[in-house]
Amino acid sequence: MGLLLASPTPAEAHIEPPTLQQRALAISHEESFNPEIVLNNIDTETGGTWDCTLIGTSGEKGCLQLMPDKWDKVDPMDFEARS
């Protein structure tokens, strides 16, 4: 007879939050952007770090390195921001 293992209760289950890459893919699909372009842009703009807290030498911010004065309705440091 096989060994029966109890399933974890909801309180014991550990669910990992989506990765930044997974969130970028989901947002790309929601906003009808080409996900390959979005992922490659973030990878390039962050030097492969995917660090959305980066501030460039000219003041550009976030994963997409947006210029804040060009995007006054969106916080470039907030990856989930929508205009």
Side-chain angles (χ1 to χ4, degrees), residues 12-79:
E12 295 171 333
H14 179 69
I15 299 173
E16 291 291 325
T19 65
L20 192 54
Q21 289 85 350
Q22 291 168 328
R23 291 170 40 212
L25 282 172
I27 293 168
S28 296
H29 290 293
E30 289 169 18
E31 300 295 331
S32 299
F33 290 128
N34 180 325
E36 187 175 339
I37 292 172
V38 173
L39 295 177
N40 287 336
N41 187 297
I42 293 171
D43 198 54
T44 298
E45 293 295 342
T46 64
T49 67
W50 282 69
D51 180 356
C52 292
T53 64
L54 294 175
I55 299 175
T57 57
S58 297
E60 60 276 18
K61 295 182 177 182
C63 281
L64 295 171
Q65 292 292 279
L66 302 174
M67 292 300 292
D69 61 335
K70 305 292 185 209
W71 296 91
D72 60 343
K73 294 181 182 177
V74 175
D75 177 1
M77 302 302 274
D78 181 0
F79 188 75

